[in-house]
Amino acid sequence: MGGAAKSYHHGNLREALLGTAFRLVDSQGVQAISMRALAREAGVSSAAPFRHFADKQVLLDAVAEKAAAELERKLDEATAECSDALTQFRAMTVAYVRFAAEHPALFDLIHSTDSVSARFLGEVNDERRLKLIALIIEGQNAGLIPDADPELIALTSEALTHGLARMIVDRHPRLQTLSSEQARQLALAATHLLQTGIGLS
Amino acid sequence: MGGAAKSYHHGNLREALLGTAFRLVDSQGVQAISMRALAREAGVSSAAPFRHFADKQVLLDAVAEKAAAELERKLDEATAECSDALTQFRAMTVAYVRFAAEHPALFDLIHSTDSVSARFLGEVNDERRLKLIALIIEGQNAGLIPDADPELIALTSEALTHGLARMIVDRHPRLQTLSSEQARQLALAATHLLQTGIGLS
DNA sequence: CCCCAATGTTAGCGGTGCTAACACCAGGGG
DNA sequence: CCCCTGGTGTTAGCACCGCTAACATTGGGG
């Protein structure tokens, strides 16, 4: 009936824990979360969370997975509204850097998670890389990109993007006062420079 | 006399703690260190470390500072034996990536330290950037580099280097089985590609 | 020479991750 | 229909952690 008076069983503790953990990491950083605090927040005893996550790391892996999914969603969303391949590539770069700037703790967690879910991240990453390489080969066939090793070109632009994102997350002195709009422009400028250099545009 | 029977006062606890903390972070990662364990290692009571470091974060800041100094030393060492400016730049990039590959935990700690010592890192970074920009302007005057904003070019190559290093530290799937020699070659190839693109070489 | 500030000690508080043993209850098989 | 099983919650507690307060020791400068 009204208000759903708390029953002995929570109902969906796992999702609740995951959700508040996600939000807490995003707003306070990964080191701000504790199993006991999460349990308190969910109105449940300190031992309950361990019924759903073998240990803290498993929880963090799950949060990382969720964050990675969110990142990927944003990337897809960004490329969806672009027609030609080059603008897609640019949009992806911008979205990637923007995500890092807006959710540094989540971005950090994604990349510091090297246990089980690393496999998941690897697959996602591979997918993205394949897309990128396909695009580069397409460009090479059209004579727009020099005949360097596509893998290497992909790796380079990936490193550029990731590096920019990381410099922002790591509060690089020159970037620490950057707004996300400035980050957008910076990402655009950098990729443009790289593309100009390589001959992409 | 012989063996220096332990006296009440340790003698140089601060340096001892810092040293073992540095080594422990390097070999086991930052989360493997605890004040109490450090105290035990130094053969001293659990409260003693707090006479020298206000709290754990201050200790970590000190370790980060030490690591940053070590990084800078390696960078200087790498450029010292190069005559012309371009090879210096390349050597710096390689040394940077190599340090990240060989000491991921220290590299990580350096960049995740945003409290007091961030100022120190900022200054070091600024110094490095100024060197880089001077080099770029030199290249532009010689007509070897296009007249793009030197700041932007510097930022781009910095992002490339940092990104490569980070991808290695973050165990990027494509890079996780890389030897440090392979890392060296990769860094060389990437910077070469960038330089070629920009017109540096 | 002696005293005091620096540096060590013990004891302890509140928090943490995690485990064991037990309590509850929902849903499917007899 | 009832019962019982296994998933989910509870309480109690262990070992460790960061950190503090109050006390002990001692070496070096006035």
Side-chain angles (χ1 to χ4, degrees):
Chain A
M1 292 187 56
K6 55 174 58 180
S7 60
Y8 188 87
H9 284 8
H10 178 288
N12 56 346
L13 221 206
R14 193 194 154 91
E15 289 313 306
L17 292 170
L18 204 51
T20 66
F22 184 91
R23 261 172 275 127
L24 203 55
V25 168
D26 191 18
S27 62
Q28 311 280 116
V30 60
Q31 72 167 351
I33 82 150
S34 87
M35 291 293 124
R36 292 176 108 107
L38 288 177
R40 278 192 297 269
E41 178 71 16
V44 103
S45 77
S46 345
F50 294 96
R51 292 288 172 200
H52 300 275
F53 302 97
D55 60 30
K56 189 180 185 175
Q57 190 53 55
V58 170
L59 204 206
L60 291 181
D61 289 359
V63 173
E65 206 155 319
K66 197 174 160 114
E70 178 71 9
L71 208 202
E72 213 192 353
R73 199 182 63 75
K74 288 249 171 92
L75 291 182
D76 289 346
E77 193 178 297
T79 58
E81 53 200 19
C82 303
S83 50
D84 88 287
L86 181 55
T87 20
Q88 270 188 19
F89 171 62
R90 278 185 187 151
M92 234 168 82
T93 300
V94 170
Y96 190 81
V97 173
R98 175 171 250 163
F99 182 88
E102 287 173 356
H103 308 283
L106 290 178
F107 186 80
D108 209 82
L109 182 59
I110 289 176
H111 297 294
S112 67
T113 294
D114 42 18
S115 54
V116 185
S117 83
R119 183 161 29 95
F120 169 77
L121 297 179
E123 286 162 8
V124 169
N125 242 353
D126 271 357
E127 207 175 314
R128 196 154 59 231
R129 182 198 327 286
L130 289 182
K131 217 192 265 184
L132 187 54
I133 289 182
L135 173 60
I136 290 171
I137 292 180
E138 194 182 315
Q140 288 180 326
N141 286 341
L144 294 171
I145 302 180
D147 274 339
D149 178 8
E151 274 264 3
L152 186 57
I153 296 181
L155 199 57
T156 305
S157 77
E158 236 185 318
L160 220 204
T161 304
H162 188 64
L164 220 42
R166 263 296 170 187
M167 282 165 73
I168 291 172
V169 171
D170 294 343
R171 293 199 150 67
H172 195 280
R174 186 108 282 134
L175 301 176
Q176 65 188 346
T177 58
L178 230 55
S179 75
S180 76
E181 175 52 25
Q182 287 175 306
R184 202 188 76 89
Q185 293 187 354
L186 184 59
L188 264 185
T191 59
H192 178 70
L193 187 64
L194 182 59
Q195 290 155 16
T196 304
I198 295 184
L200 236 188
S201 70
Chain B
M1 290 193 58
K6 53 175 59 179
S7 62
Y8 189 87
H9 284 9
H10 178 288
N12 56 346
L13 222 206
R14 181 176 221 275
E15 289 313 306
L17 293 170
L18 204 51
T20 66
F22 185 90
R23 262 172 274 126
L24 204 52
V25 168
D26 191 19
S27 62
Q28 311 280 117
V30 60
Q31 71 166 352
I33 83 149
S34 86
M35 291 292 126
R36 294 177 109 109
L38 287 178
R40 278 191 298 268
E41 179 71 15
V44 104
S45 76
S46 345
F50 294 95
R51 293 286 171 202
H52 301 274
F53 302 96
D55 59 29
K56 188 180 184 176
Q57 189 53 55
V58 170
L59 205 207
L60 291 181
D61 288 0
V63 173
E65 205 154 322
K66 197 174 162 114
E70 178 71 8
L71 208 202
E72 212 191 355
R73 199 182 63 74
K74 287 251 172 91
L75 291 183
D76 288 346
E77 193 179 295
T79 59
E81 52 201 20
C82 303
S83 50
D84 87 289
L86 181 54
T87 19
Q88 268 187 21
F89 171 63
R90 279 186 186 150
M92 236 168 80
T93 300
V94 169
Y96 190 81
V97 172
R98 174 171 249 164
F99 182 88
E102 286 172 357
H103 308 283
L106 290 177
F107 185 80
D108 209 82
L109 182 59
I110 290 175
H111 297 293
S112 66
T113 296
D114 42 18
S115 54
V116 186
S117 82
R119 183 163 28 96
F120 169 76
L121 298 179
E123 286 162 8
V124 169
N125 243 353
D126 271 357
E127 206 176 315
R128 197 154 58 230
R129 181 197 328 285
L130 289 182
K131 216 191 263 181
L132 189 52
I133 289 182
L135 173 59
I136 290 170
I137 292 178
E138 195 182 312
Q140 287 179 328
N141 287 340
L144 294 172
I145 301 181
D147 274 340
D149 178 7
E151 274 263 3
L152 186 56
I153 296 181
L155 198 58
T156 304
S157 79
E158 234 185 319
L160 220 204
T161 304
H162 187 64
L164 221 41
R166 264 294 171 188
M167 283 165 72
I168 290 172
V169 172
D170 293 344
R171 292 198 152 66
H172 194 283
R174 186 109 281 136
L175 300 176
Q176 66 187 343
T177 58
L178 231 55
S179 76
S180 76
E181 175 53 24
Q182 287 174 307
R184 200 188 78 87
Q185 293 187 354
L186 184 59
L188 264 184
T191 59
H192 178 70
L193 188 64
L194 181 60
Q195 290 156 15
T196 304
I198 295 184
L200 236 187
S201 70

Coordinates of all heavy atoms in Angstrom, one line a residue, chain A residues 172-179 182:
Chain A
H172 N 46.1 19.6 -15.8 CA 47.3 20.2 -16.4 C 47.3 21.7 -16.2 O 46.3 22.3 -16.5 CB 47.4 19.8 -17.9 CG 48.7 20.0 -18.5 ND1 49.1 21.3 -18.9 CD2 49.7 19.2 -18.8 CE1 50.3 21.2 -19.4 NE2 50.7 19.9 -19.4
P173 N 48.4 22.3 -15.7 CA 48.4 23.7 -15.4 C 47.8 24.6 -16.5 O 46.9 25.5 -16.2 CB 49.9 24.0 -15.2 CG 50.5 22.7 -14.8 CD 49.7 21.7 -15.5
R174 N 48.1 24.4 -17.7 CA 47.7 25.2 -18.8 C 46.2 25.0 -19.1 O 45.5 25.9 -19.7 CB 48.5 25.0 -20.1 CG 48.2 25.9 -21.2 CD 49.4 26.9 -21.4 NE 49.4 28.0 -20.5 CZ 50.5 28.4 -19.8 NH1 51.6 27.9 -20.0 NH2 50.4 29.4 -19.0
L175 N 45.6 23.9 -18.6 CA 44.3 23.6 -19.0 C 43.3 23.6 -17.8 O 42.1 23.4 -18.0 CB 44.2 22.2 -19.6 CG 45.1 22.0 -20.8 CD1 45.0 20.5 -21.2 CD2 44.6 22.9 -22.0
Q176 N 43.8 23.9 -16.6 CA 42.9 23.7 -15.5 C 41.8 24.6 -15.3 O 40.8 24.4 -14.6 CB 43.8 23.6 -14.2 CG 44.4 24.9 -13.8 CD 45.4 24.7 -12.6 OE1 45.3 23.7 -12.0 NE2 46.2 25.7 -12.3
T177 N 41.8 25.8 -16.0 CA 40.7 26.7 -15.9 C 39.8 26.6 -17.1 O 39.0 27.5 -17.4 CB 41.3 28.1 -15.8 OG1 42.1 28.4 -16.9 CG2 42.1 28.3 -14.5
L178 N 40.0 25.6 -17.9 CA 39.2 25.4 -19.1 C 37.7 25.1 -18.9 O 37.4 24.3 -18.1 CB 39.8 24.3 -19.9 CG 40.2 24.6 -21.4 CD1 41.1 25.8 -21.5 CD2 40.8 23.4 -22.0
S179 N 36.9 25.9 -19.6 CA 35.5 25.5 -19.6 C 35.3 24.4 -20.6 O 36.2 24.1 -21.4 CB 34.6 26.7 -20.0 OG 34.8 26.9 -21.4
Q182 N 35.5 25.7 -24.1 CA 36.9 25.9 -24.5 C 37.6 24.5 -24.8 O 38.3 24.4 -25.8 CB 37.7 26.6 -23.4 CG 37.4 28.0 -23.2 CD 38.1 28.7 -22.0 OE1 38.0 28.2 -20.9 NE2 38.8 29.7 -22.3

